[in-house]
Amino acid sequence: MKIVAIVPAAGQGLRLGESIPKAFVRVGSRTMLELSVRALLDSGVVDQVVVSVPAELVDEAAALVPDATVVTGGAERADSVRAGVEKAPDASYYLVHDAARALTPPSLIRRVVDELHAGQQAVVPALPVADTVKTVNAQGDVTDTLDRSQLRAIQTPQGFEADLLRKAYEPTQLGDKTTDDAGLVEKIGGTVRTIDGDPMAFKVTTQMDLRIARALVSE
Ligand code: CTP
Ligand code: MG
């Protein structure tokens, strides 16, 4: 029952706006890449970690996370995940976990794996949405107000039976710009179970998020 964690870390971090790719930005003394890999290994339930990084940073990543397997990522997040999946074809289960969720607690990783062991084929952490969510048209006029009680914000790690994720990532999906692995599984008819997410698994996307992450680490 081999559990392989794929860590997409090949993004440029355009919204963060630092001079280096986001996963290589430090939160406290460690890079987000190191923190994410460490949490996965500390969970005690992951057998192998595969990280997807920009081509020019493969050597640097290998030095930062010597316990992980490093592969070259792609132009879209889906390409980076696919590269990781192909590097570990012998997995029974995959966890896909954004490097940018640097403060994710090992306890959340264990809870995702617990659900896989209990027989779920796909598992995602989910949090209630605090803000009201509306849809708008091109001019910015509101077209609908969604029922918040039915909405969830989805985090990672997302856990999958290996065959199901491989099928979701088959070449027919190439060029897919999805940023959500479970979304691909939904498209091929898979059942995706939510579990309670963890606020600490928030994604560092903007400078505000980075300030929050650094403040939390220095606490
Ligand atoms: N990612 C990746 N390969 C890509 C794009 C994204 O591996 N081609 C990874 C990022 O490194 C990150 C995770 O997917 O760990 C979530 O993506 P996001 O937060 O959007 O990061 P970036 O794409 O780097 O940021 P931005 O969209 O602001 O440029
Ligand atoms: Mg992105």
Short mmCIF file of all heavy atoms in Angstrom, two decimals, residues 15 28 32 39 52 60 64 72 82 86 100 108 120 125 130 135 140 153-154 163 166 180 187 195 209 211 213:
data_model
loop_
_atom_site.label_atom_id
_atom_site.label_comp_id
_atom_site.label_asym_id
_atom_site.label_seq_id
_atom_site.Cartn_x
_atom_site.Cartn_y
_atom_site.Cartn_z
N ARG A 15 1.33 36.15 -8.57
CA ARG A 15 0.53 36.97 -7.66
C ARG A 15 1.30 37.36 -6.40
O ARG A 15 1.02 38.38 -5.78
CB ARG A 15 -0.78 36.25 -7.30
CG ARG A 15 -1.78 36.21 -8.44
CD ARG A 15 -2.93 35.29 -8.14
NE ARG A 15 -2.51 33.87 -8.16
CZ ARG A 15 -3.32 32.86 -7.90
NH1 ARG A 15 -4.59 33.10 -7.58
NH2 ARG A 15 -2.87 31.62 -7.96
N GLY A 28 10.14 32.16 7.64
CA GLY A 28 11.09 31.87 8.70
C GLY A 28 12.39 31.42 8.06
O GLY A 28 12.80 31.96 7.03
N MET A 32 9.28 27.42 1.45
CA MET A 32 7.97 26.75 1.46
C MET A 32 8.09 25.32 0.97
O MET A 32 7.39 24.42 1.46
CB MET A 32 6.97 27.55 0.61
CG MET A 32 6.58 28.85 1.27
SD MET A 32 5.13 29.56 0.50
CE MET A 32 5.85 31.04 -0.14
N ALA A 39 6.36 18.48 6.37
CA ALA A 39 5.06 18.13 6.96
C ALA A 39 4.59 16.77 6.43
O ALA A 39 4.05 15.96 7.19
CB ALA A 39 4.03 19.21 6.63
N SER A 52 7.71 18.64 -8.02
CA SER A 52 7.85 19.16 -9.39
C SER A 52 8.28 20.61 -9.30
O SER A 52 7.56 21.43 -8.71
CB SER A 52 6.52 19.11 -10.13
OG SER A 52 6.03 17.81 -10.19
N GLU A 60 18.91 22.81 -7.15
CA GLU A 60 18.70 23.53 -5.88
C GLU A 60 17.65 22.80 -5.03
O GLU A 60 17.82 22.64 -3.82
CB GLU A 60 18.25 24.97 -6.17
CG GLU A 60 18.15 25.80 -4.92
CD GLU A 60 17.94 27.28 -5.21
OE1 GLU A 60 18.30 27.73 -6.33
OE2 GLU A 60 17.40 27.97 -4.33
N LEU A 64 17.80 21.11 -1.24
CA LEU A 64 16.91 21.57 -0.17
C LEU A 64 16.11 20.42 0.45
O LEU A 64 15.86 20.40 1.65
CB LEU A 64 15.92 22.62 -0.71
CG LEU A 64 16.48 24.02 -0.99
CD1 LEU A 64 15.43 24.85 -1.74
CD2 LEU A 64 16.89 24.71 0.30
N THR A 72 11.11 17.75 -13.12
CA THR A 72 10.84 19.04 -13.75
C THR A 72 9.34 19.20 -13.97
O THR A 72 8.70 18.30 -14.54
CB THR A 72 11.58 19.13 -15.10
OG1 THR A 72 12.98 18.97 -14.86
CG2 THR A 72 11.33 20.47 -15.78
N ARG A 82 1.12 15.87 -13.33
CA ARG A 82 1.27 14.70 -14.21
C ARG A 82 2.72 14.19 -14.21
O ARG A 82 2.97 12.99 -14.16
CB ARG A 82 0.82 15.04 -15.63
CG ARG A 82 0.73 13.83 -16.55
CD ARG A 82 0.30 14.20 -17.95
NE ARG A 82 -1.11 14.53 -18.04
CZ ARG A 82 -1.58 15.75 -18.20
NH1 ARG A 82 -0.77 16.79 -18.29
NH2 ARG A 82 -2.88 15.95 -18.28
N GLU A 86 3.84 10.39 -13.11
CA GLU A 86 4.60 9.51 -14.01
C GLU A 86 5.90 9.04 -13.39
O GLU A 86 6.40 7.95 -13.71
CB GLU A 86 4.85 10.22 -15.35
CG GLU A 86 3.58 10.27 -16.19
CD GLU A 86 3.67 11.19 -17.41
OE1 GLU A 86 4.74 11.81 -17.61
OE2 GLU A 86 2.66 11.28 -18.13
N ALA A 100 2.77 25.58 -1.85
CA ALA A 100 2.41 26.89 -1.31
C ALA A 100 1.58 26.81 -0.03
O ALA A 100 1.35 27.81 0.64
CB ALA A 100 1.64 27.68 -2.37
N LEU A 108 -3.57 16.96 9.45
CA LEU A 108 -4.51 17.00 8.32
C LEU A 108 -4.12 15.95 7.27
O LEU A 108 -4.98 15.27 6.71
CB LEU A 108 -4.54 18.40 7.68
CG LEU A 108 -5.43 18.51 6.42
CD1 LEU A 108 -6.90 18.23 6.75
CD2 LEU A 108 -5.29 19.89 5.77
N GLN A 120 -12.53 5.42 0.92
CA GLN A 120 -12.89 6.50 -0.01
C GLN A 120 -11.94 6.52 -1.19
O GLN A 120 -10.74 6.30 -1.02
CB GLN A 120 -12.85 7.87 0.70
CG GLN A 120 -13.80 7.99 1.86
CD GLN A 120 -15.26 7.86 1.44
OE1 GLN A 120 -15.63 8.21 0.32
NE2 GLN A 120 -16.08 7.33 2.34
N PRO A 125 -9.79 18.15 1.68
CA PRO A 125 -10.12 18.96 2.84
C PRO A 125 -10.96 20.16 2.41
O PRO A 125 -10.66 20.79 1.39
CB PRO A 125 -8.75 19.44 3.36
CG PRO A 125 -7.72 18.71 2.56
CD PRO A 125 -8.37 18.29 1.29
N ALA A 130 -16.53 31.92 4.35
CA ALA A 130 -16.95 32.98 5.28
C ALA A 130 -17.67 34.12 4.57
O ALA A 130 -18.61 34.71 5.12
CB ALA A 130 -15.73 33.51 6.02
N THR A 135 -22.00 35.47 -8.41
CA THR A 135 -21.48 35.44 -9.76
C THR A 135 -21.75 36.79 -10.40
O THR A 135 -22.73 37.47 -10.07
CB THR A 135 -22.14 34.32 -10.59
OG1 THR A 135 -23.55 34.52 -10.61
CG2 THR A 135 -21.84 32.94 -9.99
N GLY A 140 -19.40 43.31 -14.58
CA GLY A 140 -19.32 43.37 -13.13
C GLY A 140 -20.67 43.45 -12.46
O GLY A 140 -20.75 43.66 -11.24
N ALA A 153 -14.62 25.92 0.55
CA ALA A 153 -13.31 26.23 -0.03
C ALA A 153 -12.44 24.99 0.13
O ALA A 153 -12.35 24.42 1.22
CB ALA A 153 -12.68 27.41 0.70
N ILE A 154 -11.82 24.56 -0.96
CA ILE A 154 -11.10 23.28 -0.99
C ILE A 154 -9.60 23.49 -0.87
O ILE A 154 -9.03 24.38 -1.52
CB ILE A 154 -11.44 22.51 -2.29
CG1 ILE A 154 -12.95 22.27 -2.38
CG2 ILE A 154 -10.67 21.20 -2.36
CD1 ILE A 154 -13.55 21.49 -1.23
N ASP A 163 -5.16 4.49 -9.34
CA ASP A 163 -5.71 4.26 -10.69
C ASP A 163 -6.67 5.37 -11.11
O ASP A 163 -6.71 5.77 -12.27
CB ASP A 163 -6.45 2.91 -10.75
CG ASP A 163 -5.47 1.75 -10.78
OD1 ASP A 163 -4.30 1.98 -11.15
OD2 ASP A 163 -5.88 0.62 -10.44
N ARG A 166 -4.61 8.47 -12.03
CA ARG A 166 -3.93 8.25 -13.33
C ARG A 166 -4.91 8.40 -14.47
O ARG A 166 -4.61 9.01 -15.50
CB ARG A 166 -3.32 6.84 -13.36
CG ARG A 166 -2.06 6.70 -12.52
CD ARG A 166 -1.40 5.34 -12.76
NE ARG A 166 -0.64 4.95 -11.58
CZ ARG A 166 -0.97 3.98 -10.74
NH1 ARG A 166 -2.06 3.24 -10.96
NH2 ARG A 166 -0.23 3.72 -9.69
N ASP A 180 -7.35 22.11 -9.90
CA ASP A 180 -7.96 21.27 -8.87
C ASP A 180 -7.99 19.82 -9.35
O ASP A 180 -8.71 19.49 -10.28
CB ASP A 180 -9.37 21.77 -8.57
CG ASP A 180 -10.07 20.91 -7.55
OD1 ASP A 180 -9.48 20.65 -6.48
OD2 ASP A 180 -11.20 20.48 -7.82
N LYS A 187 -14.83 14.95 -13.21
CA LYS A 187 -15.17 14.91 -14.64
C LYS A 187 -15.28 13.49 -15.18
O LYS A 187 -16.02 13.24 -16.14
CB LYS A 187 -14.09 15.64 -15.45
CG LYS A 187 -14.32 17.12 -15.61
CD LYS A 187 -13.36 17.65 -16.68
CE LYS A 187 -13.22 19.16 -16.58
NZ LYS A 187 -12.05 19.64 -17.32
N ILE A 195 -13.56 16.20 3.80
CA ILE A 195 -13.37 16.11 5.25
C ILE A 195 -13.11 17.53 5.75
O ILE A 195 -12.85 18.43 4.95
CB ILE A 195 -12.20 15.19 5.64
CG1 ILE A 195 -10.87 15.74 5.09
CG2 ILE A 195 -12.43 13.77 5.17
CD1 ILE A 195 -9.64 15.07 5.70
N ASP A 209 -0.76 37.01 2.39
CA ASP A 209 -0.66 35.62 2.88
C ASP A 209 0.76 35.34 3.41
O ASP A 209 0.92 34.66 4.43
CB ASP A 209 -0.96 34.61 1.77
CG ASP A 209 -2.35 34.78 1.19
OD1 ASP A 209 -3.28 35.13 1.94
OD2 ASP A 209 -2.49 34.57 -0.03
N ARG A 211 2.87 37.48 4.67
CA ARG A 211 3.04 38.16 5.96
C ARG A 211 2.38 37.35 7.07
O ARG A 211 2.93 37.21 8.17
CB ARG A 211 2.44 39.57 5.90
CG ARG A 211 3.30 40.53 5.10
CD ARG A 211 2.58 41.83 4.81
NE ARG A 211 2.30 42.59 6.03
CZ ARG A 211 1.58 43.71 6.03
NH1 ARG A 211 1.09 44.19 4.89
NH2 ARG A 211 1.36 44.35 7.16
N ALA A 213 1.81 34.08 7.07
CA ALA A 213 2.57 32.84 7.28
C ALA A 213 3.83 33.12 8.11
O ALA A 213 4.15 32.38 9.04
CB ALA A 213 2.94 32.22 5.94
#
